Structures are given as C-alpha cells and as structure tokens.
C-alpha cells in the first residue's frame, strides 16, 4: 500500500514521533511516503533524527523527506497532520501574561478565554495559507487531520474558508473514559460511552457497563475517589450542577466557564497543584517552556535510548492512525471526532464544529445523528460556540470589532473585566502579537496610537493565584524521568 502523509509543525517534541509510531504499527502502512515540515530547522532536524532512527531500527525502507519548504512536503500528500503552534512560546507567553494584568487567570489559554481567542487569530491566519498550499499541490482527495488548538476554531476556518476537508482530533474523550472506568471499578474496555458536545466541552451522555446505564453513579464515584475528589473539583462541581461529566481536565474546564477563576481568593478552592493540568496559573506555558529547554539540552540522550518498536501493542490511542487504517483497509473504527455539525446535534448550530461519535471504514468518516443535548450542557456549549464564531470571523476578515466582541462574550473574560478593560487588553494583545497577525495591520496601527497617546486604565502587577516557578535545566536534571515525561506533555499532555 502506497500513499503519502505529511506533518506540518513536525518539529514538535514528542507528538509527531508518537503519531508516526501509531501509523507505522499498521502493517499495510510500512511502505508509505512520509514528509515533515517545520519553520524551525533545528527542531525539525532533531525530531527527524529521532523518527528516522525509529524507522531504521524497525527495518523499514522509508526515508523521511524533511524540509522547511511546506509546499514541497505537501505535494501529493493524501493525509496531512497539522500539529502547529503558531507564534511558538513567544506568542504563547503574551496569551497568558497580558490577560493576567487585567485579572484573567488562565491555566492553559489555548482554546477559549483571552489566550485561546488570540491563539485562534494567529492560527487561522496561517491555516488559510496552509489550506491554499494544500489545495494547490496535495492529492485531490486530501484529508487534513487537525490536532492543533484552538481545535474548533481552526477546524471551522479550514472547512468554511480554507476549502479543505478537515477533521479535528483530540484525546480528551479517551482520557476521561479512563477516569470513569476507574471510579466505576471497571476496565476501560468494560465501559461503553457516548460523548457529545464541542471540543473540550464534550459530555459523557451515556456511560454503560453490561448494558446498564451508570451515568447516575458518577457523582458519588468521583466524590469518593481518593485522588479525583481533590484534583477534579471543577469537573465534579459541573457534574453535580449539570448532571453530566465533561471530557476536559480540571484546569482546562475552569477557564471555559465564568465561575471558578474570577475571584483570586477563591481559585485555590477549585484547583490542585499536584499537576499543572489541575489548574495551575499559566501551567501549560510553564510545562512547554521547561519541556523545550529540556529537549534541546537532553536530545543526545534521547538518541541513545531504545528506538520505538512499531508493534500493535505499542500503539497509542490517538485517533489519527485508526482513521487512516479505516479509510485505507476498511477495518471499522469508532471514535469521537470534530466535524461541522450539519444537524448531528440538533440543538447546537449547524455551522459549529461539534465533537461526537463517528465510524470510519472505506466508505469514509460517518457521524450518526445524536439529537438534542440536555438543555444545561447545550447552554454551556452554545455560549462557547458564540465566542468561537465571532473569533473565526474576526480572524478571517481581520475585523478587530468582532475580535473585541468575542473577548466580551467569553465567559471568563466577561466575568473578570468590564468593557473598557477588554478594549484596552485587546489593544495590548494585538500590538504584542502583531508579527503573527498580518490581517490586522490597520487595526494594530490604531491600537498602537491609542496605547501611546491616550490615558490608560491602570492594570495589576498580578502573577496569578497559583503560579509555579519555571524550573531550570539543572533543576530538571535532578529527576530526568520526570523531565522526559514533562517534555512529552509539552506537545500534547494528557488533558
């Protein structure tokens, strides 16, 4: 079997390597063509060395085509994996630090809230350029598998404005599935689930063991769990008040809704610092910074470690390889995917990107009808969808008026800031990130003028309610196992 796959943003620390291992674990795929592209030559070289070493050690006759020329990598590609982080850590720092001055305390800042909205502005501008290249040089039947955040916004823009068939993929459903099985005292394979909603706000609508609905047992199970009762307080509270468990981690979920991070003195009541993803202020920025520093320092040791073995038992749970397997071999795969709604969830907008069950085989990716979500979960999703729609249209058209409206409608930003603060914060973020926002050239010039000439609202020297210091490489070296694990999470943690 021969076809070409390409990775955009392939210089990610561990995610590219893991996805490639999953794909190469399918016997029929061990003669395909592979291309990597990234704008950072150094990162691209390091990841290519690791992955090529894996390929060689597994006895495969594949040579990775690694290039900073994106169009070359995309030429004739049938499947394209998007794992980019537009603006890198430099822009990501602005996403976290500037909102903090206005009291907006984010754990991650890559999906909603002020950071996620600006991440979307950068990402959509570049994704439309990527889609243009894909349309011109890739295989006519190409499928774009988007792993980049903000998942819904980027997938929305690629489908509506990029003209490229795009599916958004995430691992939140799988991770929550593991937790649910644990609190029910079952193995994961013994628990059947149906999730529906939007990415990072997907709800476990059905949880069954032996055909019996166990949804009503989850609250007691999580409240009495020795670990989760402390680490998942936000998710447990949402389960208590809305009736359904949400896919996303405590830290992520806390920044998508208006109730848990709006008063600094209350934030500690809802989070736990045993892991960044439980709600640490700027937790993902810290992990990414530490992970990148460690990988660059420790890279020679990674090459000395055993290569990944391309075996089925080593295959991960990311949907990507299973989708390719279903489409190419006809083996049926069931997962949860992000697609344009078009009536799948009947009380969410048709144009929204929803996350729901899907089936893959040679006939394609098919998403069955779900019907209505319960009113409460639907209301939570619809608020976020309104923000996403405003943010997508703002990014596509370079409309800073819509961008400011997206900021105002965001649940956490709106809970913390008044309109004048939101306007000024948006000006600051536009100016700080201007080199990644070509569509806002005129708006940024006006924002620069306002910031220079007009009296500004005082801001706070606020580091967040639960900030943890970034470790030095020397400090990380004291526990190399933890540092290596951390470097993997700097791509895509177990959210």
């Amino acid at each position: 079997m021969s076809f070409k796959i390409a990775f955009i943003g392939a210089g990610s620390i561990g995610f590219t390597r893991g996805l490639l291992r999953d794909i190469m674990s399918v016997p029929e795929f061990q003669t395909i063509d592979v291309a990597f592209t990234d704008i950072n030559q150094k990162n691209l070289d390091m990841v290519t060395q690791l992955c090529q070493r894996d390929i060689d050690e597994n006895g495969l006759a594949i040579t990775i085509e690694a290039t900073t020329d994106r169009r070359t990598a995309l030429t004739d590609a049938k499947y394209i994996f998007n794992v980019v982080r537009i603006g890198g850590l430099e822009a990501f720092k602005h996403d976290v630090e500037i909102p903090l001055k206005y009291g907006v305390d984010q754990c991650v800042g890559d999906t909603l809230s002020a950071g996620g909205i600006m991440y979307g502005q950068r990402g959509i501008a570049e994704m439309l350029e990527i889609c243009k290249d894909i349309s011109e040089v890739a295989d006519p039947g190409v499928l774009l598998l988007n792993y980049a955040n903000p998942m819904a916004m980027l997938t929305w823009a690629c489908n509506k404005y990029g003209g490229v068939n795009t599916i958004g993929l995430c691992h939140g459903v799988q991770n929550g599935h593991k937790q649910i099985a644990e609190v029910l005292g079952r193995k994961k394979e013994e628990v059947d689930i149906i999730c529906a909603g939007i990415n990072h706000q997907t709800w476990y609508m059905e949880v069954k063991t032996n055909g019996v609905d166990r949804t009503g047992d989850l609250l007691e199970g999580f409240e009495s769990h020795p670990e989760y009762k402390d680490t998942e307080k936000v998710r447990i509270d949402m389960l208590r008040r809305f009736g359904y468990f949400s896919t996303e981690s405590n830290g992520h979920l806390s920044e998508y809704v208006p109730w848990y991070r709006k008063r600094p003195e209350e934030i500690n009541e809802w989070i736990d610092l045993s892991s960044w993803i439980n709600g640490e202020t700027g937790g993902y920025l810290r992990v990414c910074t530490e992970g990148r520093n460690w990988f660059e320092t420790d890279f020679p040791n990674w090459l000395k470690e055993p290569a990944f073995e391309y075996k089925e038992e080593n295959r991960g749970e990311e949907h990507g390889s299973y989708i390719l397997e279903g489409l190419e071999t006809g083996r049926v795969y069931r997962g949860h995917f992000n697609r344009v709604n078009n009536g799948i969830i009947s009380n969410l907008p048709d144009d929204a990107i929803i996350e729901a069950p899907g089936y893959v085989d040679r006939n394609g990716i098919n998403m069955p009808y779900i019907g209505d979500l319960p009113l409460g979960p639907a209301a939570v999703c619809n608020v976020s969808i309104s923000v996403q729609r405003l943010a997508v249209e703002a990014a596509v058209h370079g409309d800073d008026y819509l961008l400011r409206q997206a900021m105002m409608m965001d649940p956490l930003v709106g809970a913390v800031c008044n309109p004048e603060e939101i306007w000024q914060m948006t000006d600051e973020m536009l100016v700080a990130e201007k080199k990644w926002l070509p569509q806002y050239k005129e708006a940024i010039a006006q924002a620069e003028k306002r910031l220079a000439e007009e009296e500004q609202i005082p801001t706070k020297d606020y580091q967040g309610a639960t900030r943890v210091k970034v470790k030095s490489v020397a400090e990380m070296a004291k526990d190399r196992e933890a540092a290596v694990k951390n470097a993997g999470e700097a791509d895509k943690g177990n959210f």
Side-chain angles (χ1 to χ4, degrees):
M1 187 171 287
S2 180
F3 55 85
K4 181 178 179 180
I5 63 171
F7 289 80
I8 307 174
S12 58
I13 297 168
F15 201 57
T16 297
R17 189 183 181 200
L19 283 175
L20 187 64
R21 173 204 60 208
D22 294 350
I23 293 166
M24 291 301 170
S25 297
V26 181
E28 292 91 341
F29 293 171
Q30 294 185 348
T31 58
I32 65 173
D33 297 322
V34 179
F36 287 177
T37 186
D38 199 289
I39 62 172
N40 187 312
Q41 184 71 61
K42 180 181 177 182
N43 292 347
L44 179 63
D45 288 345
M46 288 191 293
V47 173
T48 301
Q49 284 184 63
L50 278 172
C51 291
Q52 188 64 59
R53 192 276 306 263
D54 291 341
I55 289 171
D56 295 343
E57 290 290 325
N58 281 273
L60 304 184
I62 295 173
T63 300
I64 297 170
E65 177 187 19
T67 174
T68 56
D69 184 335
R70 186 169 69 206
R71 288 174 68 90
T72 297
L74 298 179
T75 298
D76 298 327
K78 188 175 183 181
Y79 300 104
I80 298 171
F81 290 86
N82 180 53
V83 293
V84 299
R85 177 185 284 157
I86 303 301
L89 296 181
E90 181 185 352
F92 190 13
K93 186 174 182 179
H94 294 313
D95 290 343
V96 172
E97 302 288 355
I98 293 175
L100 272 174
K101 294 167 57 179
Y102 295 85
V104 181
D105 187 320
Q106 303 166 101
C107 172
V108 184
D110 71 354
T111 298
L112 282 173
S113 198
I117 291 169
M118 290 307 297
Y119 195 15
Q121 304 310 294
R122 303 192 304 273
I124 289 170
E126 187 61 29
M127 288 310 302
L128 294 183
E129 292 300 310
I130 290 171
C131 285
K132 184 174 182 290
D133 288 345
I134 291 172
S135 297
E136 292 176 359
V137 302
D139 184 276
V142 66
L143 175 65
L144 176 60
L145 300 101
N146 177 46
Y147 274 102
N149 284 316
M151 173 64 64
M153 293 184 202
L154 266 58
T155 304
W156 194 325
C158 290
N159 278 292
K160 182 176 181 180
Y161 290 105
V164 173
N165 182 20
T166 306
I167 183 170
L169 302 177
C170 185
H171 42 229
V173 172
Q174 298 99 300
N175 291 329
H177 190 179
K178 293 176 187 175
Q179 291 177 304
I180 288 171
E182 187 176 335
V183 302
L184 293 177
R186 298 296 189 103
K187 296 178 181 179
K188 184 183 173 187
E189 56 269 24
E190 296 174 339
V191 180
D192 194 24
I193 60 164
I194 294 178
C195 275
I198 62 173
N199 182 238
H200 289 187
Q201 289 181 325
T202 315
W203 308 81
Y204 293 89
M205 307 309 305
E206 287 188 8
V207 176
K208 292 183 177 180
T209 59
N210 297 324
V212 178
D213 188 3
R214 303 291 302 278
T215 308
D217 298 331
L218 295 184
L219 180 58
E220 181 181 355
F222 275 96
E223 287 180 329
S224 61
H225 190 275
E227 177 186 347
Y228 299 146
K229 66 182 177 62
D230 296 319
T231 61
E232 300 288 3
K233 290 179 181 178
V234 171
R235 295 169 85 185
I236 290 170
D237 196 58
M238 291 289 284
L239 171 59
R240 181 183 300 116
R241 300 181 191 282
F242 286 86
Y244 298 89
F245 194 60
S246 177
T247 51
E248 223 38 59
S249 68
N250 202 69
H252 259 310
L253 183 55
S254 69
E255 64 187 6
Y256 301 155
V257 290
W259 309 298
Y260 304 103
R261 303 187 76 94
K262 69 178 179 179
R263 295 175 184 152
E265 67 274 14
E266 295 178 1
I267 292 176
N268 272 302
E269 297 176 16
W270 294 107
I271 72 166
D272 175 89
L273 288 179
S274 62
S275 173
W276 67 271
I277 198 58
N278 297 334
E280 172 193 332
T281 298
Y284 192 42
L285 175 60
R286 176 183 66 81
V287 163
C288 291
T289 303
E290 291 175 354
R292 175 53 63 189
N293 293 342
W294 178 256
F295 182 64
E296 291 179 350
T297 302
D298 197 51
F299 174 70
N301 291 323
W302 292 49
L303 285 173
K304 297 174 185 176
E305 293 177 345
F308 281 178
E309 291 186 87
Y310 294 158
K311 297 179 178 179
E312 178 63 31
E313 58 265 31
N314 296 333
R315 195 173 177 186
E317 291 190 337
E318 297 292 347
H319 296 303
S321 70
Y322 298 95
I323 291 173
L324 269 60
E325 183 180 11
L327 293 172
E328 293 293 331
T329 72
R331 300 184 194 115
V332 178
Y333 175 64
R334 173 190 169 191
H336 287 77
F337 314 133
N338 291 269
R339 298 288 264 175
V340 180
N341 187 17
N342 287 332
I344 295 168
I345 301 178
S346 48
N347 57 347
L348 297 185
D350 281 350
D351 61 335
I353 300 297
I354 55 93
E355 189 166 54
Y359 296 85
V360 188
D361 59 17
R362 278 204 178 97
N363 294 313
I365 302 168
N366 298 289
M367 308 278 285
Y369 175 75
I370 295 297
D372 281 357
L373 291 181
L375 287 178
V380 173
C381 289
N382 273 310
V383 172
S384 297
I385 289 169
S386 293
V387 177
Q388 292 167 355
R389 183 185 290 106
L390 285 164
V392 168
E393 295 300 322
V396 170
H397 301 292
D399 187 335
D400 70 313
Y401 195 55
L402 292 179
L403 173 61
R404 296 168 199 277
Q405 291 171 359
M407 292 286 191
M408 289 188 69
M409 290 302 299
D410 180 81
L412 181 57
V413 174
V416 174
C417 298
N418 66 35
E420 289 189 0
E421 291 168 335
I422 293 171
W423 242 242
Q424 183 176 300
M425 180 180 69
T426 305
D427 277 352
E428 281 203 56
M429 298 186 82
L430 282 168
V431 171
E433 302 183 14
K434 63 181 180 180
K435 64 182 174 182
W436 303 287
L437 299 170
Q439 74 273 46
Y440 284 109
K441 184 176 181 180
E442 183 178 335
I444 289 170
Q446 294 171 353
E448 288 176 323
K449 185 176 181 181
R450 281 190 294 273
L451 292 173
E453 298 178 0
E454 297 180 7
E455 184 177 353
Q456 301 300 298
I457 300 166
T459 57
K460 309 175 183 77
D461 182 14
Y462 179 52
Q463 293 303 306
T466 53
R467 203 71 185 264
V468 176
K469 177 182 172 291
V470 175
K471 292 179 182 177
S472 67
V473 171
E475 289 171 323
M476 288 187 281
K478 295 176 182 177
D479 187 348
R480 184 173 182 273
E481 183 179 350
V484 170
K485 179 177 182 292
N486 185 70
E489 289 188 358
D491 288 316
K492 295 281 182 178
N494 288 324
F495 291 175

